[in-house]
Amino acid sequence: MATYALDDFGGRFLTAGPLEVEGKIRPGISAYVEWFLPTARRELSVLFVHGGGGQGSEFLRTPDGRPGWAHAFLRAGYPVYILDRPGHGRCAWNDHALGPALPIADYDFLYARFVEPERHGLWVEAAKHDKWPQDRLAGDRFMASQGPMATTLSESQRHVEAIADELFEITGPTIIISHSAGGPCGWALAAKGGDNVAAIVAVEPQGYPGMVHAQGTFEDGLCAAPLSGSADPFARPIAIVTGEATWMRDTNTRAAQYIRERGFTFEHIMLEQHGISGNGHMLISESNSESIADLLISWLAKNLDLQSGDLRTRRQQAEPRTRYNDPKHAGGAIRPELS
């Protein structure tokens, strides 16, 4: 049974400050970031950014109870930060700050695209899908994780840009790993974070230049609205990751061409070319998710030249990376077990 030591775990709400609405002071745009800090760790962290109506918990555990990607990256020595984007997960939807939200998607819509696309055949590659977990409750748990989302892509982008500065103060130098509709948010965050963002791994990212979507048109490259940050989000090593059985293959191929033309380090990782087959859009939750995480960790090691010597054992941490005083955890180390 694999274990690793943590110096700290916790979380914090991020906020752009209060708003005055109809004579009352109310919370403004807010988000939540959770962190896990391994004792022997790299200087560079990993920031997970979820998609659509999802939440950060998707990176902690799969719907059938296996360790999620966060655990694989912790074993590799990365401090892990998991973002609940504004209005998602631990950060409830606040229409005063975020505007209206779309209704939560129903079983018919999401099952045909995420859980059992092979049964519905909405796209040609769907027939190859065979990696959804066999646990009979996995689909229900996935549906339970889904919540509201902004009515427009530009609003989703504006929301993450509002909390970006405070987020990067916490993560420090980091690697963004985004999924789906978190892809455009990841590019927007990188434009704000600049040199704080060492690399981006965009997993099945939404959008390509000019793509017309129900929530808006991609009018600014891989984003729907002009970036509020001044840095070039593509001026760093980038990978796009695409499953064999997803509807995103054409979308991701067009996005990949856009990034390649910018001349930076880039790879479009088509999973079947690495012996990983049958994955749909929600590959972070599927039965071979750990193999995909291992592939991404290897890609980062190669493209960022990360060596085992980058690991550090740190016992004294500044806030928010506070140590626990619980006598059960002498020395500040906490050992979770991975089942």
Side-chain angles (χ1 to χ4, degrees):
M1 185 175 293
T3 62
Y4 51 80
L6 294 179
D7 273 351
D8 187 26
F9 64 88
R12 173 187 289 177
F13 285 95
L14 313 172
T15 178
L19 298 173
E20 182 174 349
V21 181
E22 298 176 350
K24 295 185 180 295
I25 305 301
R26 300 185 183 277
I29 297 174
S30 304
Y32 186 85
V33 63
E34 186 172 21
W35 61 76
F36 300 86
L37 306 179
T39 299
R41 60 184 176 270
R42 302 180 186 276
E43 298 291 339
L44 198 58
S45 71
V46 166
L47 169 65
F48 289 110
V49 182
H50 66 81
Q55 55 182 285
S57 64
E58 295 163 352
F59 296 101
L60 281 174
R61 219 75 184 173
T62 63
D64 58 340
R66 290 171 293 111
W69 281 9
H71 297 275
F73 281 84
L74 285 166
R75 287 196 301 269
Y78 288 99
V80 166
Y81 295 85
I82 303 175
L83 180 66
D84 280 334
R85 295 194 285 116
H88 299 263
R90 284 190 174 97
C91 200
W93 192 270
N94 171 8
D95 55 6
H96 294 292
L98 305 178
L102 292 173
I104 298 173
D106 58 47
Y107 270 64
D108 287 343
F109 184 85
L110 290 183
Y111 259 57
R113 290 160 177 80
F114 290 77
V115 177
E116 51 184 25
E118 67 279 9
R119 289 187 56 190
H120 300 269
L122 298 183
W123 58 93
V124 173
E125 295 87 356
K128 300 177 182 179
H129 183 256
D130 62 4
K131 291 300 186 292
W132 187 257
Q134 294 301 303
D135 187 321
R136 66 183 182 83
L137 294 179
D140 293 333
R141 296 186 188 113
F142 165 69
M143 292 300 299
S145 74
Q146 298 303 295
M149 68 179 84
T151 57
T152 68
L153 298 168
S154 59
E155 284 296 289
S156 292
Q157 179 180 328
R158 181 179 70 85
H159 297 161
V160 295
E161 288 172 334
I163 53 85
D165 292 344
E166 187 179 2
L167 175 62
F168 288 121
E169 287 177 5
I170 294 174
T171 67
T174 195
I175 299 160
I176 294 176
I177 300 182
S178 64
H179 177 245
S180 192
C185 294
W187 312 128
L189 286 170
K192 293 278 287 184
D195 290 342
N196 264 322
V197 180
I200 300 175
V201 177
V203 180
E204 300 254 326
Q206 184 183 59
Y208 57 81
M211 175 181 169
V212 178
H213 185 274
Q215 293 167 256
T217 301
F218 283 78
E219 297 179 345
D220 190 41
L222 301 186
C223 288
L227 299 167
S228 68
S230 59
D232 182 349
F234 307 107
R236 66 207 78 241
I238 292 174
I240 285 179
V241 183
T242 306
E244 182 184 36
T246 176
W247 76 85
M248 297 286 280
R249 291 176 72 84
D250 179 65
T251 294
N252 287 178
T253 298
R254 296 184 188 217
Q257 184 58 34
Y258 175 80
I259 299 173
R260 282 195 189 97
E261 291 172 353
R262 304 184 76 87
F264 299 108
T265 300
F266 174 74
E267 183 174 351
H268 187 185
I269 300 174
M270 308 288 275
L271 290 181
E272 72 276 9
Q273 296 176 6
H274 295 266
I276 300 175
S277 62
N279 288 103
H281 183 56
M282 201 65 189
L283 49 79
I284 60 176
S285 299
E286 296 191 317
S287 60
N288 58 352
S289 58
E290 186 169 358
S291 296
I292 301 171
D294 290 343
L295 175 63
L296 303 188
I297 290 168
S298 296
W299 186 89
L300 289 168
K302 174 183 176 182
N303 286 278
L304 293 179
D305 193 26
L306 300 176
Q307 305 298 324
S308 59
D310 294 323
L311 295 174
R312 301 288 185 268
T313 300
R314 288 189 248 167
R315 296 291 185 178
Q316 301 298 325
Q317 294 298 319
E319 210 277 334
R321 301 169 182 177
T322 53
R323 291 173 57 205
Y324 287 89
N325 295 319
D326 188 334
K328 293 184 294 183
H329 304 304
I334 307 167
R335 287 192 174 273
E337 291 187 346
L338 303 183
S339 57

